Amino acid sequence: MCGIFGCVLSEGSAAPIIHRALERLEYRGYDSVGEATVYGGRVHVKKAAGKIGEIHKLLNLDDLPGSVGIGHTRWATHGKPSDRNAHPLFDCKENVAVVHNGIIENYQELKDMLIEKGHSFISDTDTEIIPHLIEENISLGLEKAVMEAVRKFEGRYAIAAISSDENMLVGVRRGSPLIVGRSENKTFIASDIPAFLNHTNQVMYLDDNEMVVIDGNVRFFNTETGQSIEKRLITINWDAKQAEKGEYPYFVIKEIMEQKETIMRAINQDENTILRTAEEIKRAYGTFFTGCGTAGKVCMAGEYIFSKVAKKHVNFVISSEFPNYKHFLTDKTLLITISQSGETADLMEAVETARKMGVKVLSLVNVMGSSLYRNSDYAFLLNAGPEKAVASTKATTAQLALVTLLAYAVAGRLQEGKRLLMETASKVNDMLNPRYEARIAELARKLKDSQSIYIIGRSLNYPMAMEAAIKIMELSNIHAQGFAGGELKHGPLALIQDGTPCIVFAANDETRVDIISNAMEVKARGGYIIGVSPRNNEVFDYWIKVPDVGNASPVVNIIPIQILAYHLALLRGCDPDYCRNLAKSVTVK
Ligand code: M6R
């Protein structure tokens, strides 16, 4: 949700580096792009609304002088996407430039105060108050002026600032991610590591209320106390290639295909840690799963998997609603959080709420060093590698596999769970072949003009029906909705007309007879039935075969729908990587 970037080079031009970094951060927002550099006592800027490729053609983003600069790719919150609202934003004299990710909650009050003092504003953004606040104290130097300014903001943010008179970059973090990368003669700050991964894998994480000042040196401070802080350099085991599309036309199809390996990587965890965690889960009195969007659907599947496999009840609450449950939290409660990015604002707020009540936090997260990873008592890395497409795919199946493994560990059947998931990983490897994709692409051609697509499932596959709907909606912009099979007759059947497509997850388990009956009910009203199942059935108008993997069925069932949603996106002219109105890593509430 907005990508910010900054760099200080000992020599050479910053602009091409900022441009490449913004391309890698584009998944965080694609409403506008901008960059600014310092050279010859001036701040130079290029910015406009639109996608980075188009803007580069118009403005040549590689062509700005100077070796210190900042950049921004925007997901609009305050103020619609426009050239005027594009970051960087400036003070009155255009000496201070700022990029920002997050929301300044008290911006209106600060704006009124600044206007009264004579400042003039040109954008509709909350961000613009930041350069003007810095301007108030710029005579003290950028470092001190930023420190004074941030003490006045409220909200969640990460910012980067430069000024015309200093070869210096200042970054501050509170609630939105900001990471420092260092190579021998270049230092970077960015919202996400892939922005600079082609230069270095040596990073330092900023925590909340921390500031980094980069000139010849790199110094860290606490913004509340002003005290300096020591940081450890950490080596990241991602390589730059993992964050590129390679031979694939889009990140999302690359990431779907990577599921040949990522499920195996997710379950390849230290067994002692799994067993210790299982004991923690058993000991907890009151356990909650929480996450947002797709990760939330995995949490809901986790509730079913734990109930079925471990005979343990775990509550599921989507993160944005979690604060309503604070009355049930004690120091014996365990919160299990699931997230790809580890930066989702609603989830981080749930963690904050839980922490205040003394709750322990266990996380399943993909991004090492993310806010969630660092704020957890116990954390498992999903090891799926960078997920760049807005639609989550490989992180989802990694999360499902790991939740399933944990449930088996809690049941005292870790080895059985491991064997099941290894078999699942190997069957996914066989499944993801060109013939399989072609069969699903054929189905996409049949469904591409549908008004709505419904998906039904029962038990473990009810949450997957809802996840399938998220994939279809965000990728193809077709209305889609997932239901529990048993709920149809209580309302949704009214939506079925001649030809209405209905995807049916019919696992080979105790729910099969009932879900097939539900499919019959839809078919009797004219519905077009697409069966996702290990076995064909006469009710299916179109059958997508999936392997029979018992309790791991959610992992294999969702994959053909990811492929279907991708092909629907292509056929309908939607960008499969950059879903309309959405962004990866949702750092606003
Ligand atoms: O990074 P997270 O897993 O915490 O993100 C949660 C959701 O924003 C995310 O899953 C979202 O729903 C995806 N776009 C779905 O594909």
Side-chain angles (χ1 to χ4, degrees):
M1 203 126 281
C2 294
I4 70 172
F5 181 79
C7 62
V8 175
L9 318 180
S10 58
E11 57 181 5
S13 171
I17 291 178
I18 300 171
H19 174 198
R20 296 283 104 73
L22 293 180
E23 283 175 341
R24 293 191 189 96
L25 289 174
E26 197 180 15
Y27 68 93
R28 300 180 68 89
Y30 21 93
D31 290 332
S32 64
V33 176
E35 55 184 37
T37 55
V38 184
Y39 185 74
R42 268 187 57 204
V43 174
H44 303 255
V45 66
K46 289 194 176 179
K47 60 175 186 170
K51 288 199 176 164
I52 192 161
E54 297 148 20
I55 292 165
H56 178 55
K57 275 190 213 142
L58 285 173
L59 302 179
N60 188 2
L61 293 169
D62 293 339
D63 182 29
L64 277 179
S67 52
V68 175
I70 54 177
H72 188 267
T73 175
R74 180 168 186 243
W75 186 84
T77 57
H78 294 56
K80 64 179 186 196
S82 68
D83 294 356
R84 200 161 53 83
N85 291 333
H87 298 210
L89 288 149
F90 289 88
D91 64 327
C92 297
K93 299 192 187 104
E94 301 202 349
N95 284 335
V96 176
V98 169
V99 290
H100 165 221
N101 167 29
I103 289 180
I104 305 299
E105 285 166 4
N106 58 339
Y107 84 98
Q108 193 58 59
E109 178 191 322
L110 292 168
K111 191 170 178 176
D112 294 344
M113 178 272 284
L114 287 161
I115 289 172
E116 211 154 280
K117 284 187 157 188
H119 291 260
S120 47
F121 287 77
I122 55 165
S123 81
D124 311 314
T125 66
D126 53 339
T127 305
E128 202 180 357
I129 59 119
I130 305 173
H132 288 276
L133 276 177
I134 295 173
E135 183 181 17
E136 287 280 293
N137 289 303
I138 195 66
S139 59
L140 305 173
L142 184 65
E143 180 182 329
K144 288 213 167 64
V146 173
M147 181 83 90
E148 284 304 314
V150 295
R151 288 177 175 164
K152 301 193 168 70
F153 313 158
E154 282 161 24
R156 291 176 170 269
Y157 54 83
I159 61 167
I162 53 173
S163 82
S164 53
D165 296 329
E166 290 163 276
N167 268 338
M168 175 189 278
L169 167 66
V170 178
V172 185
R173 173 203 158 119
R174 182 172 168 195
S176 296
L178 197 59
I179 301 137
V180 176
R182 281 209 86 169
S183 73
E184 210 178 307
N185 42 23
K186 301 182 184 84
T187 308
F188 311 92
I189 55 177
S191 302
D192 200 358
I193 293 165
F196 53 68
L197 202 51
N198 55 329
H199 296 282
T200 183
N201 63 352
Q202 305 288 304
V203 308
M204 288 175 278
Y205 292 100
L206 262 81
D207 286 312
D208 282 351
N209 302 316
E210 288 184 356
M211 172 166 127
V212 59
V213 178
I214 306 166
D215 39 24
N217 298 306
V218 181
R219 292 167 289 131
F220 294 90
F221 300 93
N222 180 300
T223 53
E224 288 177 332
T225 63
Q227 277 177 342
S228 76
I229 302 166
E230 290 296 315
K231 288 273 170 191
R232 216 160 43 91
L233 208 56
I234 295 166
T235 305
I236 294 295
N237 64 0
W238 287 358
D239 72 49
K241 261 214 182 123
Q242 281 180 294
E244 305 291 343
K245 278 189 282 217
E247 77 217 43
Y248 290 95
Y250 294 98
F251 280 111
V252 69
I253 189 66
K254 174 187 177 237
E255 289 160 7
I256 289 171
M257 292 302 161
E258 280 176 346
Q259 292 173 112
K260 288 178 180 189
E261 294 135 35
T262 47
I263 295 164
M264 199 62 158
R265 289 213 299 264
I267 57 166
N268 193 11
Q269 305 281 346
D270 175 58
E271 277 192 17
N272 288 327
T273 315
I274 294 264
L275 290 170
R276 269 201 313 273
T277 309
E279 285 311 312
E280 266 320 310
I281 297 174
K282 280 198 258 180
R283 249 198 313 274
Y285 183 75
T287 311
F288 288 84
F289 272 120
T290 195
C292 306
T294 290
K297 301 301 173 269
V298 175
C299 289
M300 193 176 165
E303 184 182 18
Y304 280 92
I305 295 167
F306 265 69
S307 165
K308 187 171 181 191
V309 175
K311 312 284 177 280
K312 173 150 179 90
H313 176 62
V314 181
N315 303 281
F316 156 64
V317 185
I318 51 171
S319 303
S320 54
E321 294 298 324
F322 187 78
N324 298 310
Y325 289 73
K326 64 176 176 220
H327 316 289
F328 305 112
L329 306 177
T330 72
D331 58 2
K332 296 196 176 51
T333 312
L334 178 69
L335 180 66
I336 307 178
T337 68
I338 301 186
S339 174
Q340 189 287 126
S341 63
E343 299 292 352
T344 303
D346 290 328
L347 176 58
M348 291 316 296
E349 195 185 31
V351 170
E352 255 168 54
T353 306
R355 283 235 170 272
K356 282 190 193 136
M357 309 298 283
V359 171
K360 287 239 161 50
V361 178
L362 160 65
S363 295
L364 277 52
V365 56
N366 197 33
V367 179
M368 184 188 171
S370 57
S371 303
L372 181 64
Y373 181 79
R374 286 175 302 125
N375 273 303
S376 301
D377 297 286
Y378 325 94
F380 285 102
L381 284 173
L382 300 171
N383 297 322
E387 190 182 69
K388 301 283 291 286
V390 169
S392 181
T393 54
K394 62 176 178 172
T396 313
T397 47
Q399 292 160 353
L400 285 166
L402 195 44
V403 165
T404 309
L405 190 67
L406 278 174
Y408 273 93
V410 170
R413 293 153 59 197
L414 175 60
Q415 294 313 325
E416 182 190 338
K418 217 167 169 182
R419 274 195 304 278
L420 169 71
L421 289 157
M422 281 163 68
E423 186 195 328
T424 307
S426 129
K427 288 188 170 161
V428 167
N429 187 21
D430 297 343
M431 184 173 147
L432 285 169
N433 62 56
R435 254 184 318 121
Y436 196 72
E437 189 182 348
R439 168 116 181 108
I440 298 169
E442 182 191 329
L443 175 64
R445 285 191 289 278
K446 289 183 194 291
L447 302 188
K448 73 175 179 16
D449 298 318
S450 306
Q451 289 282 316
S452 296
I453 299 177
Y454 300 105
I455 310 99
I456 57 170
R458 280 178 174 256
S459 178
L460 312 180
N461 286 298
Y462 162 39
M464 288 303 100
M466 298 210 265
E467 165 52 13
I470 295 186
K471 284 290 94 63
I472 294 170
M473 283 190 283
E474 67 182 341
L475 277 159
S476 72
N477 306 152
I478 296 177
H479 168 250
Q481 218 167 333
F483 296 107
E487 275 294 291
L488 287 181
K489 55 191 175 295
H490 301 292
L493 264 185
L495 299 167
I496 306 298
Q497 303 177 64
D498 257 358
T500 306
C502 179
I503 299 172
V504 180
F505 287 138
N508 221 1
D509 61 15
E510 67 288 350
T511 64
R512 185 171 174 92
V513 172
D514 288 338
I515 198 78
I516 293 288
S517 301
N518 298 142
M520 295 282 187
E521 290 154 17
V522 177
K523 190 160 181 148
R525 280 136 187 108
Y528 179 77
I529 307 296
I530 300 126
V532 175
S533 178
R535 281 194 280 143
N536 203 351
N537 187 282
E538 60 175 358
V539 74
F540 300 156
D541 294 299
Y542 201 95
W543 177 40
I544 299 178
K545 188 172 180 186
V546 287
D548 186 356
V549 290
N551 289 333
S553 63
V555 177
V556 296
N557 282 350
I558 198 60
I559 292 175
I561 307 307
Q562 296 170 347
I563 301 172
L564 174 68
Y566 166 69
H567 279 278
L568 286 171
L570 293 179
L571 290 166
R572 291 168 59 87
C574 304
D575 187 327
D577 282 340
Y578 301 122
C579 306
R580 186 169 75 191
N581 300 339
L582 301 180
K584 194 90 176 158
S585 195
V586 184
T587 51
V588 294
K589 284 208 286 171

